[in-house]
Amino acid sequence: MGFYVVLLIASISVISNVELPKAVQVVIALIPVIPTIFVVIAVMRALRDSDELQQRIQLQAVTFSAIVTGLITFSYGFLENIGFPHFPSLFIFPLMIALWGIGAGIFARKYK
């Protein structure tokens, strides 16, 4: 998490203060994604090594997250047609992660 924050601040700082060609800006803007990829790999390994009950709970939580995120963003897209402010796509992944956590809590209680 700390590595991500450092890269994010550095990326924003460089893009805001230094004039660079567009291709270089694209590379610098995507640098904070690198630690996120390592987090995804770690989560996938943890899921692979967990027992069947935990895998079932996580599958239900991820499914819940994907469906609810899709419904929220799909619905909000219609609201943008009537003047609601644009919803930045940058918030979709954190929304999915938050809903995954909520779903994991809901489905874990089901098996207690």
Side-chain angles (χ1 to χ4, degrees):
M1 184 66 175
F3 189 51
Y4 167 77
V5 171
V6 168
L7 288 178
L8 181 63
I9 291 170
S11 171
I12 292 171
S13 178
V14 168
I15 290 173
S16 300
N17 298 317
V18 180
E19 282 200 35
L20 298 167
K22 197 66 163 179
V24 177
Q25 287 181 349
V26 168
V27 171
I28 291 173
L30 293 176
I31 284 177
V33 174
I34 294 170
T36 307
I37 291 170
F38 287 116
V39 169
V40 170
I41 291 170
V43 168
M44 295 302 294
R45 286 182 180 164
L47 286 174
R48 182 192 64 205
D49 296 339
S50 62
D51 63 20
E52 290 179 12
L53 176 60
Q54 195 56 237
Q55 288 178 354
R56 170 175 254 179
I57 291 169
Q58 295 304 321
L59 175 63
Q60 291 173 333
V62 167
T63 303
F64 168 79
S65 169
I67 290 171
V68 173
T69 300
L71 283 173
I72 289 171
T73 56
F74 185 72
S75 300
Y76 197 83
F78 289 115
L79 294 175
E80 287 180 351
N81 290 335
I82 60 169
F84 276 56
H86 176 67
F87 183 77
S89 61
L90 186 65
F91 295 124
I92 293 174
F93 189 63
L95 175 65
M96 287 186 75
I97 298 300
L99 289 170
W100 181 12
I102 292 169
I106 291 169
F107 294 111
R109 280 200 305 172
K110 178 181 173 184
Y111 294 104
K112 283 189 177 180

